[in-house]
Amino acid sequence: MRGLRAHYHLLPSQDEEQPMGCGDPAGEGQLGSGGAPAAAPALEEPCMLVLSTPSSVLRDREIQELGPHLPPRLMQQPWRLLYCTGRDGFSLRTLYRRGGQQGCPTLLLIRDTEAQAFGAFLATTIRCSNGFYGTGETFLFSFSPELKVFRWTGRNNFFVKGDVDLLMVGGGSGRYGLWLDRDLHHGGSHPCETFDNETLSPREEFCIQDLEVWGLA
């Protein structure tokens, strides 16, 4: 477990279901770079991540590298830890219950048992659903060991889908960019059409050591 300083700066995003107070709509997002490592966008002010409590998944350096890749809205609002396996146990159902205010963006952070850190930025709350939902602002990322960001290709709209057995991010041709099982002990990552991503973990199927879900405070 790695402790971080209590505060970092981050720029949040949103989804089409965003409630009052979660920011201004920005449409379905922008076409990405086809999965190539993304450079930080040029901004007038640095995008810095603000976490309300320390993270057990990302180091200080990783937090600072990831921050500039998030959409530049809702500046200076701290992100709150909604769910973590160290505190809440390993359960997808519990993750859904603690998912936060509907429509607000979510940051999913994972560290596997091989110490690889990766995850997803989701433009909306993680929830159980009948089909895929979300917007083109959704992306996958991995520190392998340097940060790589995999953005929406525009080939499909398979952003996020959750049911009682699986949470899936990205898809196409029966392959998911990231999936997690119902017990949150195991998951997998495959190249998928939504993000044209590389495998996020050293193995296509991995065991989870720590998992965190962050939402806007």
Side-chain angles (χ1 to χ4, degrees):
M1 304 283 282
R2 296 176 174 84
L4 300 177
R5 295 196 301 273
H7 294 282
Y8 303 91
H9 289 283
L10 173 78
L11 294 179
S13 172
Q14 80 206 355
D15 177 67
E16 70 276 9
E17 299 171 343
Q18 173 175 306
M20 186 71 69
C22 283
D24 297 326
E28 280 292 304
Q30 304 297 322
L31 285 178
S33 58
L43 300 173
E44 294 180 359
E45 298 180 2
C47 298
M48 304 195 58
L49 195 59
V50 179
L51 301 184
S52 61
T53 57
S55 171
S56 297
V57 174
L58 293 188
R59 304 177 180 92
D60 186 9
R61 173 184 62 84
E62 294 166 335
I63 289 281
Q64 294 187 26
E65 290 177 358
L66 181 61
H69 293 276
L70 277 78
R73 294 194 300 279
L74 301 177
M75 293 283 292
Q76 308 304 321
Q77 292 200 32
W79 286 61
R80 180 169 58 92
L81 184 61
L82 302 175
Y83 172 88
C84 71
T85 51
R87 181 190 68 191
D88 303 310
F90 287 77
S91 169
L92 185 56
R93 287 181 180 270
T94 303
L95 189 159
Y96 290 147
R97 287 198 301 268
R98 300 183 65 91
Q101 186 180 15
Q102 183 173 334
C104 282
T106 306
L107 194 60
L108 173 65
L109 307 180
I110 300 166
R111 186 173 294 277
D112 66 16
T113 53
E114 297 189 24
Q116 178 71 39
F118 50 93
F121 170 78
L122 312 176
T124 187
T125 311
I126 297 176
R127 56 181 171 81
C128 206
S129 62
N130 293 324
F132 282 90
Y133 62 94
T135 77
E137 289 180 327
T138 304
F139 64 80
L140 297 173
F141 61 87
S142 177
F143 292 90
S144 56
E146 300 302 319
L147 175 62
K148 294 182 179 180
V149 172
F150 305 99
R151 298 190 179 277
W152 182 41
T153 63
R155 297 176 191 169
N156 62 40
N157 295 328
F158 299 158
F159 299 117
V160 190
K161 183 180 185 296
D163 59 33
V164 295
D165 295 314
L166 285 176
L167 174 65
M168 298 150 276
V169 184
S173 302
R175 297 165 68 87
Y176 302 111
L178 176 64
W179 62 265
L180 306 174
D181 72 2
R182 65 186 302 170
D183 296 322
L184 296 184
H185 289 305
H186 300 92
S189 174
H190 304 271
C192 74
E193 296 173 5
T194 311
F195 303 110
D196 194 22
N197 57 288
E198 301 173 5
T199 301
L200 303 180
S201 174
R203 301 179 184 274
E204 289 190 339
E205 295 193 11
F206 53 82
C207 296
I208 297 170
Q209 177 175 306
D210 294 298
L211 183 148
E212 297 174 346
V213 176
W214 295 82
L216 287 179

